[in-house]
Amino acid sequence: MLRKFRALFFLVPATVAFAQQPSPAPEKPKPPPVPEQKITVSSVHVDGPYIALTFDDGPNEKLTPRLLDLLAQHRIHATFFVIGENVAQHPEILQRAAREGHEIGNHSWSHPNLAKMSDDGVRSQIKRTEEEISGAIGSRPILLRPPYGSLTARQKHFIHDDFGYEIILWNVDPLDWKEPGPNVVSNRILKETRPGSIVLSHDIHAQTIQAMPATLTELETKGFKFVTVSELLKLRTPVPPPKPVNAPTATPSPVVAPSPNG
């Protein structure tokens, strides 16, 4: 009996001590994830009929000068995203484009899929083209369009943060590289273009150049005004919040006077 009492005596303090331990603090709710900053531009919201025409993959020895002649006739400034290899072969064409008020953007050295390359390879593609453009026109580009519009999330950040480029995509694509015919190219551009659009085309395809006279004339008829991509970005305005949908109000029932014959 005495042994049982002693065992019980030693168990009680341990039980009390265990009961007095503080319970763990409740976990704080995790904050919602911060949305990733949008660092690519496909179109912008503008207060006015402004659009930006862009031409990729040049300069082309024969076609780009023809396009420059046409743009000069219409007094239109466009943005050319150029390939470094082509700039090295035809710097005089790039010099003319810059002299006539067109904007020059970086489109890589040899048009690879940058998303499938190492970071060092991507940096080399961008830097070599940047140096070639700067050597030709005396200023470095501030816009970059990745070939095929293809970049990884990490590449977008270091291109934007380390190189200081605005990454420009598009929202109007006539698929002119498939060469569907000048009329199809023109109709697709006219159908899809809206205020704030960035229109993609290529100045290395003859059908694209053939499509431009009718396209430019019709866009002008529609009232569009042409600016470079950098000018379009400066015209950007906040997207207005959606208007609230008003609940339908009940129509009061008409008061019918009692009939005198009732």
Side-chain angles (χ1 to χ4, degrees):
M1 184 70 179
L2 183 59
R3 288 180 180 178
K4 292 183 179 180
F5 179 78
R6 286 177 178 175
L8 182 62
F9 175 78
F10 286 110
L11 283 173
V12 170
T15 305
V16 173
F18 177 78
Q20 290 177 345
Q21 289 181 353
S23 58
E27 292 185 5
K28 294 182 179 180
K30 295 181 180 180
V34 179
E36 182 181 355
Q37 179 187 9
K38 185 174 177 59
I39 56 177
T40 61
V41 180
S42 300
S43 64
V44 300
H45 182 269
V46 291
D47 293 331
Y50 302 100
I51 61 173
L53 300 181
T54 68
F55 298 91
D56 287 11
D57 296 355
N60 178 276
E61 182 179 11
K62 295 181 179 180
L63 298 179
T64 304
R66 286 174 53 189
L67 177 61
L68 290 172
D69 290 343
L70 180 62
L71 293 173
Q73 293 171 13
H74 287 260
R75 297 182 180 180
I76 290 172
H77 291 159
T79 300
F80 289 84
F81 288 98
V82 296
I83 300 296
E85 289 180 337
N86 294 338
V87 175
Q89 294 179 22
H90 305 292
E92 75 285 351
I93 299 178
L94 204 67
Q95 291 163 1
R96 176 190 168 184
R99 187 169 60 248
E100 295 181 359
H102 302 289
E103 184 169 27
I104 308 301
N106 191 326
H107 196 43
S108 82
W109 180 260
S110 58
H111 207 279
N113 187 332
L114 299 179
K116 297 182 178 180
M117 298 182 66
S118 67
D119 289 354
D120 288 342
V122 173
R123 291 177 186 273
S124 176
Q125 285 276 330
I126 294 173
K127 194 65 178 175
R128 289 182 69 189
T129 307
E130 181 180 300
E131 291 171 352
E132 200 69 42
I133 294 172
S134 299
I137 66 174
S139 59
R140 69 175 295 273
I142 59 174
L143 307 177
L144 179 133
R145 172 172 285 162
Y148 316 105
S150 181
L151 286 175
T152 67
R154 183 183 66 258
Q155 290 167 350
K156 290 178 184 179
H157 281 285
F158 75 67
I159 289 170
H160 181 270
D161 298 340
D162 298 350
F163 285 92
Y165 279 105
E166 294 283 354
I167 302 172
I168 307 300
L169 301 180
W170 58 87
N171 74 322
V172 177
D173 182 1
L175 301 176
D176 59 325
W177 57 273
K178 293 185 176 182
E179 300 191 336
N183 290 338
V184 175
V185 172
S186 181
N187 289 337
R188 287 173 177 170
I189 292 175
L190 295 174
K191 181 180 179 181
E192 298 173 16
T193 301
R194 302 288 185 273
S197 283
I198 298 175
V199 182
L200 168 67
S201 297
H202 300 79
D203 55 323
I204 62 170
H205 300 299
Q207 291 185 359
T208 301
I209 308 305
Q210 294 165 10
M212 283 301 114
T215 303
L216 299 181
T217 298
E218 187 62 26
L219 288 172
E220 289 173 327
T221 301
K222 288 175 175 288
F224 287 112
K225 298 183 183 298
F226 305 88
V227 294
T228 65
V229 170
S230 287
E231 290 170 337
L232 189 68
L233 296 180
K234 292 178 181 178
L235 292 168
R236 178 167 36 187
T237 57
V239 178
K243 295 181 179 180
V245 179
N246 295 326
T249 55
T251 304
S253 301
V255 176
V256 181
S259 171
N261 301 323

